Amino acid sequence: MSHRRHWVLIPAAGVGKRFGAAVPKQYLELAGRPVIDYAIGAFIGHPAIAGCVVVLGSDDGWWDETSRYAGNARVLRAPGGAERCHSVRNGLDALAGQAADDDWVLVHDAARPCLRRSDLDRLLAALADEPVGALLAVPIADTVKQAQAGRVAATLPRSALWRAYTPQAFPLGLLRSALAHAEQQDLIVTDDASAVELLGHRPALIEGSTDNIKITRPEDLPLAAFFLNRQAQDQATC
Ligand code: C5P
């Protein structure tokens, strides 16, 4: 095991525009608990994880009310930003008090409740001799069309396309510089790897399970419940 510690950063300051509910998607109820508690729970008991920071919106009235981690001393809080990348940057600032520049930060969406322990372990193992960073991802099964005004402009070569999931893991110092660099260029990156790619690096793709969905639309909630149920059954039979 290297001396570099592993921290978790959970951006949870989104309002869930696409979901269209009054409650942000990370606070919707899934089998009796808010979605975010599953996202945090995937890491909090893991022996390789040093601590966690959760990034919350300024008008968040749900965290203290609903999360079982609200009073947890290992879960720091940081203020949200206008876009996900700004929220992540704020979370990194909060971690910088305790974490070293070459410590790993695993950024994981609050709205991804079905991360499998085996996927997390595969990502952590990949970091042991990784010079840049790595992300969980899944090869695309469908043929992908590029659209223009409702018509097909191009068909993209499927064999080279992957869906980017989280966690995405980078050294704290590198990710901070990468997000600052993207911001200076007025680019709104939608994941952490994109910011690091803009610096010319090529993060490693680690194949993960398709269970690791992001709650985005109402139909995703029963699907997440199904995946969690199946994971519990798998564990019971191990
Ligand atoms: O909107 P999207 O699905 O990309 O959000 C991914 C994650 O980023 C969610 O967990 C959401 O709460 C978080 N987020 C954030 N700050 C924002 C926007 C999104 O922390 N301003």
Side-chain angles (χ1 to χ4, degrees), residues 56-209:
L56 303 174
S58 56
D59 54 356
D60 186 317
W62 297 276
W63 171 253
D64 285 324
E65 288 296 313
T66 62
S67 176
R68 70 162 61 160
Y69 298 107
N72 190 308
R74 292 181 65 210
V75 181
L76 300 175
R77 297 161 68 143
E83 300 286 344
R84 182 187 186 278
C85 50
H86 305 122
S87 294
V88 172
R89 186 199 55 202
N90 290 353
L92 293 176
D93 288 347
L95 273 181
Q98 315 189 9
D101 259 11
D102 70 343
D103 278 355
W104 292 105
V105 179
L106 281 67
V107 184
H108 184 60
D109 293 326
R112 288 190 196 272
C114 305
L115 173 64
R116 284 178 174 262
R117 171 66 78 106
S118 52
D119 281 359
L120 173 57
D121 285 340
R122 196 169 324 115
L123 180 71
L124 289 169
L127 297 181
D129 53 4
E130 171 53 46
V132 178
L135 60 143
L136 286 181
V138 172
I140 282 189
D142 303 298
T143 299
V144 178
K145 305 290 185 191
Q146 192 172 322
Q148 205 171 35
R151 302 193 77 84
V152 175
T155 299
L156 304 176
R158 179 173 72 182
S159 59
L161 294 175
W162 291 56
R163 237 176 242 280
Y165 282 180
T166 70
Q168 302 195 352
F170 295 99
L172 184 142
L174 174 64
L175 186 53
R176 263 182 126 184
S177 314
L179 291 171
H181 172 254
E183 205 174 324
Q184 274 157 20
Q185 306 211 341
D186 285 331
L187 294 171
I188 302 292
V189 287
T190 52
D191 74 344
D192 309 289
S194 320
V196 172
E197 291 155 37
L198 284 170
L199 290 181
H201 297 295
R202 300 177 64 192
L205 291 164
I206 308 299
E207 185 166 351
S209 157

Side-chain angles (χ1 to χ4, degrees), residues 25-39 111-114 215 220-228:
K25 55 196 182 176
Q26 62 272 23
Y27 291 112
L28 292 169
E29 191 196 303
L30 182 54
R33 293 171 59 195
V35 164
I36 190 173
D37 275 16
Y38 296 90
R112 288 190 196 272
C114 305
I215 305 291
D220 296 330
L221 217 45
L223 189 58
F226 169 79
F227 286 143
L228 289 173

